[in-house]
Structure formats: structure tokens, C-alpha cells
Amino acid sequence: MLPERVAGAVRALPGPVCAYVYDRAVLRRRAAALRAALPAGSTLLYAVKANGHPDVVAALAAATDGLEVASGGELALARAAGAARVVFGGPGKTDAELRAAVDVGALVNVESALELRRLALVAADGGTGGTAPGAGAAVPVAVRVNRAAGGPGGSHRMTGTPTPFGVDEAELPDVLRLAATLPAVRPVGFHLHAVSNNLDAAAHADFVVDAVRWSVAAAARHGLDLRYVNVGGGLGVDHAGAGAGSDGTGPAEFDLEVLRHGLAPVGGLLPAGAELVFEPGRWLAADAGWYAAQVLDLKHTHGRWFAVLRGGTHHFRLPAAWGYSHPFTVLPVDRWPYPFARPEVRDVPVDAVGELCTPRDVLTRGQRVARLRVGDVLVFGRTGAYGWDISHHDFLRHEHPRTVVL
């Protein structure tokens, strides 16, 4: 169901309509709902990679305990948003990014022994002279571990399989021994992000409980004073069910109540004073965004109807990247400025395609429409995460979409 405030914002735009609409009230509600499902005392961070629009980042910086960033550019966004706390992750940090992380006093999720050595050199110099404590102050680090055990199912798995993320569990003893020789860094725990877009809340809770148990045991084995366990994000959103289809079917939902019950054992596992950190992105931001694109043409070729849009995968790449059809809502537009008949179709399946010169510029295949006219607007829900941010904006150099923030 398309919220009326979003529909009104789209109707107010000049044509041909092409825009993202973000709603800060939805962002705040999502953050509050998730926080209520987490164990008392947990830390909730927003993973900026999901949506780096400054207004989205600022809203979630205020609604959560801080931000997780994975680049110098995201760190700059976090600073501009006034984030109370910043955690720096990502597998390919440059020296300049490590310096910037030290400069703001960020905790760093370290991905390798080499990165640990490089960070120690930067930390020994006190960063770049900003807000860091100064030369000689140890930078808190969490070692990201690619555990032998895999995580729950989802669209991407980062652990229990060969990936470029984290330290192989078998190499963890060597990395912790190395850290003990580097006075400029202070290991405080582990970063164990394992999966992206998991819709099974019970399985996710089991993963978190297991990650905490593993962290406690690993810290005991290696003599680490465990202060920090970061279980990452990975809470899923059903993009393919982003809006009720013609059969009335709605999206699958990640069940927060199931998550809350499943996480109940955590409180009895963590040492006193140890912090449990969650850093979701998609779950917080997806429902707060809509992508709207006006129909420029209706075409019938080789037995299929195509709605050609002022927009496409250069703005919203996720459906093409993941190979699914993203549902849309038809927003009727009565205005028709031409002196000839307005093309329309009724009760037919339609492919929603973009304006790029490639047959892969497809957002939706075969969604049945009761009525669709050239000039109507298709609105794609649940596009507030991994929409604009992951898309190839400048292919063909079309004008970028507008952005409306409610």
C-alpha cells in the first residue's frame, strides 16, 4: 500500500517524474522497533552503506547509538551527521582512512594481520591531529573473524566459506599474538558479521547466541578481556514482495518478536560490561524509501507488454543485480498534454523497463496491471536501502532522479 503522503509528494513533482522519496518518520519508527527487540543494553548502529543520503544518515544517527562506516567518504558523512559514535569496517582500508578513523576516535574492525600492523603505525602517530587522544593512546580494535561455522541463510554469506572478509578462524591465534606486541592498538573483541538479508528471525537469533558463546570461549582461550561482540547486520527485507501484488500477497517479514524471544539467553552469556553490537542497514532504511518513475511509452513486442520508464536500473540496480522482479504500485496521472489518443493497457502483465540501451535494464517482469497509461507513474516500495547507492548512475548520462525527503 502506497502511503498517501508519499503519493502526494510524487504527484507534486514536475514531469516526467523520476525521483526517490525518503521518509524520516519511517526511519525513526524502524529504529525504535528494532531497539525494543534487542537485549537490554545492546548497541544499535546504522550501516551507512545501505543509504548514504545525508538526511537519511542524520536521521538514523539521531535514532540509533551511532554509525558503522566502510570508507572515508562514509566517515565524512558520519562526522557531518554528528554521530555520537563511529565504528569503521570494510576489507580495503587505505592508510588515509585508517588515519581518519584514529582521528575521530573510531573503533576499527580489523580485517587482517597486515591491516593491524598498518593501523598500529598510524595510531602510534596519533592520527592526523584531530580529536584522537594523541600519540601513544591505544586504538580499540575488534578482529573480524571468518569463522569455520557458517551463518544463517540469506542473499550473501560472508563466513564459513571463502570470502575476502575477515581473518580465517585458524589464523586468529597468530593475529591476537601479533596484537599483543603492538602497544598502539587494543583488541577488545570480535566482529562476526556473517550474512546479508536473512528473513528467518529464529535462525538469526540462534546465530547471535552462538556468536556470543563463541566469542566468550575464544576470548578465554586467548586471554582476551572481552569487551565487545559485534554480530553485524543481515536482518532481511523481502524486496520481491515490496508491495502487495495483484493477488493481494504481501511481503514476507523479519519477525522482531521471534528475534526478541530468541535473543533472551544472551544476557546470561556475556561477561559483565561487555557490549553486544548490532549494525543493520537494510532493515532500518528499506521501508523508508520509494522510487517513482513515469511511463514514457507502452510497447508490445513478441507477445509481451513493456512499460518504458523515465528511469531504470541506473537509479535502482538491485532487481537486475539480484535477478528478481520488484513489485510496483500504479499511481494514476490524469494530465495528458498531447492532441492524440493516450495509449493504455488493461488487465495484462507488464514488464517495467528503463531508458538504457540494454535489454537488462529491467525492474519488473510480468506484473499484471488493471489499467496502465502512458504518463502514469510506477512507484516501487522498499527502495530506501541499496537502491540509488549501488547503481551505475552515469551510464548514458541521463539526468539523475530528484530526491524528496519527508
Side-chain angles (χ1 to χ4, degrees):
M1 184 68 67
L2 181 62
E4 182 52 42
R5 63 196 256 108
V6 175
V10 173
R11 290 191 185 100
L13 293 170
V17 172
C18 182
Y20 271 99
V21 179
Y22 301 130
D23 190 335
R24 286 180 286 198
V26 175
L27 295 170
R28 292 190 289 269
R29 287 199 298 270
R30 297 288 280 186
L34 180 54
R35 189 187 293 281
L38 300 181
S42 297
T43 296
L44 176 60
L45 307 177
Y46 167 58
V48 175
K49 64 179 69 67
N51 186 327
H53 188 280
D55 286 331
V56 171
V57 174
L60 286 172
T64 65
D65 298 308
L67 303 174
E68 185 269 336
V69 303
S71 72
E74 289 188 352
L75 181 58
L77 283 172
R79 296 184 74 171
R85 183 174 181 187
V86 177
V87 170
F88 200 117
K93 305 177 189 72
T94 66
D95 288 352
E97 288 170 332
L98 292 174
R99 290 190 189 96
V102 171
D103 199 39
V104 301
L107 184 148
V108 179
N109 293 324
V110 170
E111 294 268 349
S112 70
L114 175 59
E115 185 174 283
L116 185 65
R117 290 182 183 276
R118 291 169 47 227
L119 175 61
L121 285 177
V122 169
D125 290 335
T128 58
T131 59
V139 174
V141 301
V143 180
R144 182 169 184 178
V145 183
N146 185 334
R147 294 175 56 198
S155 60
H156 303 79
R157 289 182 61 185
M158 285 77 166
T159 62
T161 188
T163 68
F165 304 109
V167 173
D168 191 295
E169 185 174 350
E171 298 176 6
L172 179 60
D174 293 337
V175 172
L176 290 177
R177 279 193 292 269
L178 170 63
T181 70
L182 302 171
V185 297
R186 177 171 56 92
V188 296
F190 306 108
H191 181 237
L192 303 173
H193 178 55
V195 68
S196 179
N197 208 39
N198 168 37
L199 285 164
D200 187 337
H204 205 90
D206 289 345
F207 156 72
V208 172
V209 172
D210 179 67
V212 171
R213 286 197 177 105
W214 179 92
S215 298
V216 171
R221 281 196 307 272
H222 302 296
L224 176 68
D225 180 19
L226 186 64
R227 302 285 90 193
Y228 179 93
V229 179
N230 187 326
V231 293
L235 283 66
V237 166
D238 179 13
H239 293 285
S246 58
D247 60 355
T249 301
E253 296 294 343
F254 187 92
D255 193 324
L256 290 185
E257 189 62 16
V258 169
L259 180 71
R260 185 178 70 82
H261 283 290
L263 293 178
V266 166
L269 297 173
L270 276 173
E275 179 184 26
L276 180 60
V277 180
F278 297 81
E279 48 181 39
R282 184 190 317 273
W283 195 92
L284 292 173
D287 275 9
W290 294 260
Y291 176 56
Q294 197 155 19
V295 178
L296 299 179
D297 205 350
L298 284 168
K299 304 173 71 172
H300 189 263
T301 61
H302 295 279
R304 297 185 73 92
W305 278 102
F306 296 87
V308 183
L309 307 179
R310 160 74 264 267
T313 58
H314 52 321
H315 301 160
F316 182 43
R317 178 175 171 264
L318 194 65
W322 282 14
Y324 76 95
S325 287
H326 198 99
F328 57 78
T329 297
V330 177
L331 185 64
V333 174
D334 292 333
R335 181 175 179 271
W336 179 248
Y338 302 107
F340 40 81
R342 185 177 188 178
E344 71 171 63
V345 294
R346 292 177 181 264
D347 195 28
V348 296
V350 170
D351 293 1
V353 303
E355 58 196 341
L356 302 179
C357 297
T358 167
R360 298 191 177 190
D361 186 14
V362 179
L363 301 181
T364 311
R365 294 266 187 210
Q367 179 171 321
R368 186 168 290 275
V369 294
R371 183 193 191 197
L372 180 63
R373 302 167 295 178
V374 173
D376 288 340
V377 176
L378 303 190
V379 184
F380 300 81
R382 283 197 157 169
T383 59
Y386 300 107
W388 173 250
D389 291 69
I390 69 164
S391 303
H392 48 295
H393 306 153
D394 290 326
F395 180 47
L396 264 65
R397 299 304 192 273
H398 283 291
E399 184 179 355
H400 290 180
R402 296 173 182 266
T403 301
V404 178
V405 180
L406 305 179

